Amino acid sequence: MTVQPVRLFGDPVLRARADEVTTFDRELRQLVTDLTDTMRASGGVGMAGPQIGVGLRVFVYDTGDAAGHVVNPSYEVLGEEEQTGPEGCLSIPGLRHDVTRALRVRAHGVDMTGTAVEFEGRALLARCVQHETDHLDGVLYLDRLNPATRKEAMRAVRESEWFTTGKTVMSAAEVAATKAAAAAERSS
């Protein structure tokens, strides 16, 4: 298992546009493995390269219904329907806020061998594609919130234990534990 530490809100790598992948080699295959193992160990449904400190345009996903990876992704919105629902981020552990995104997208890119990849996503998979592609552009889901909700979210970030102690990196196990504690608190 190649679980990596997760970069947290405040780390500059999360705000920089990731570079296009131009070399399809063993290191890229290892990056896809590292991202997948770290995503699963953290309890996530998606993870992008910058979240483990790698500024390359790669993300992985596992929604339960679909799993895979996309290198150099782009997407197009299909139709005008939107979805609004809770969204979180492994780089902002423990927080969830309603985000409005397109209900359906078509993702394009290549896999780790350079072979073309194209698929349609709906609901959670569409949300995941949009969220992870945002990461590769240096955009966080907090940036997609309406102003009042964003203000509330930023207050929650500033009050979080990991932020107040100055952490900009956390182990996957710590991220999973923080998510679980927050979920338990929300349900009580």
Side-chain angles (χ1 to χ4, degrees), residues 12-27:
V13 72
L14 297 174
R15 290 304 197 169
R17 186 181 192 287
D19 294 330
E20 297 288 322
V21 172
T22 57
T23 305
F24 296 82
D25 59 6
R26 186 172 52 87
E27 287 182 24

Side-chain angles (χ1 to χ4, degrees), residues 17-86:
R17 186 181 192 287
D19 294 330
E20 297 288 322
V21 172
T22 57
T23 305
F24 296 82
D25 59 6
R26 186 172 52 87
E27 287 182 24
L28 179 60
R29 291 188 299 276
Q30 186 63 53
L31 173 59
V32 170
T33 298
D34 292 353
L35 282 166
T36 302
D37 290 348
T38 305
M39 172 190 66
R40 290 182 175 147
S42 301
V45 297
M47 180 167 263
Q51 292 183 273
I52 62 170
V54 179
L56 291 175
R57 297 187 72 77
V58 179
F59 76 77
V60 299
Y61 60 94
D62 186 347
T63 64
D65 294 326
H69 69 278
V70 185
V71 177
N72 298 333
S74 63
Y75 68 87
E76 61 187 282
V77 171
L78 301 175
E80 296 181 17
E81 288 180 280
E82 294 182 328
Q83 59 176 319
T84 300

Side-chain angles (χ1 to χ4, degrees), residues 62-136:
D62 186 347
T63 64
D65 294 326
H69 69 278
V70 185
V71 177
N72 298 333
S74 63
Y75 68 87
E76 61 187 282
V77 171
L78 301 175
E80 296 181 17
E81 288 180 280
E82 294 182 328
Q83 59 176 319
T84 300
E87 197 166 311
C89 180
L90 298 174
S91 293
I92 310 170
L95 302 180
R96 292 177 68 81
H97 295 87
D98 282 350
V99 179
T100 300
R101 296 202 184 257
L103 179 63
R104 295 176 43 236
V105 299
R106 179 178 294 119
H108 308 270
V110 296
D111 69 11
M112 66 178 115
T113 67
T115 303
V117 171
E118 182 177 316
F119 60 91
E120 288 187 20
R122 178 179 176 80
L124 181 57
L125 181 55
R127 180 178 296 281
C128 185
V129 167
Q130 293 167 85
H131 179 108
E132 300 309 330
T133 303
D134 272 355
H135 268 301
L136 301 177

Side-chain angles (χ1 to χ4, degrees), residues 9 15 134 138-146 150:
F9 179 86
R15 290 304 197 169
D134 272 355
V139 176
L140 299 174
Y141 88 93
L142 300 175
D143 302 326
R144 301 283 183 202
L145 302 175
N146 68 53
R150 186 171 197 282

